[in-house]
Amino acid sequence: MGGLGAGHGAVLGKRPQEAVAAEMARATVLVSCSRAETFGCVLLEARASGCAVVATRTGGVPELFQPENIFGLLVNPDDEPALEKALRQVI
C-alpha cells in the first residue's frame, strides 16, 4: 500500500469519547482492516458520524453494510490491492 504516499493517515492513540466523535466527523474515511471482527461497533459509530468506511468483509461486518457499497466499501481480508483501490475510491 505504499502507493498512497505519506501523510494520508494518522494514528491518534487513545482519545476521550468526545474527541473520537469529533475526529470521526471530520475524517475522510475510517479504515478497519481486521482479519476477524465480531461486530464492529466503531464502524457503526463512523456511519453515524457521516464518515465513510473501508473495512474487511469478516465476521458480522458485512451485515452492517447492506446493501453493500452504500455505507462503505468492503474488501476481503489480506487483499491489499483491493484495500488500496477502495481507499483511492473514497479519498
Side-chain angles (χ1 to χ4, degrees), residues 7 9 15-18 20-21 23 29 32 47 51-52 58 60 64 69 72-73 78 81 86 89:
R15 296 278 190 257
Q17 189 174 15
E18 298 80 21
V20 172
E23 289 295 336
V29 61
S32 174
R47 276 184 53 187
C51 182
T58 183
L64 302 175
N69 297 329
L73 301 176
D78 296 318
Q89 283 181 263

Side-chain angles (χ1 to χ4, degrees), residues 7-52:
H8 282 283
V11 176
L12 301 176
K14 187 172 177 138
R15 296 278 190 257
Q17 189 174 15
E18 298 80 21
V20 172
E23 289 295 336
M24 279 191 191
R26 68 182 201 102
T28 302
V29 61
L30 181 126
V31 181
S32 174
C33 50
S34 301
R35 288 188 177 122
E37 188 71 54
T38 54
F39 182 70
C41 188
V42 70
L43 304 176
L44 289 178
E45 293 169 344
R47 276 184 53 187
S49 298
C51 182

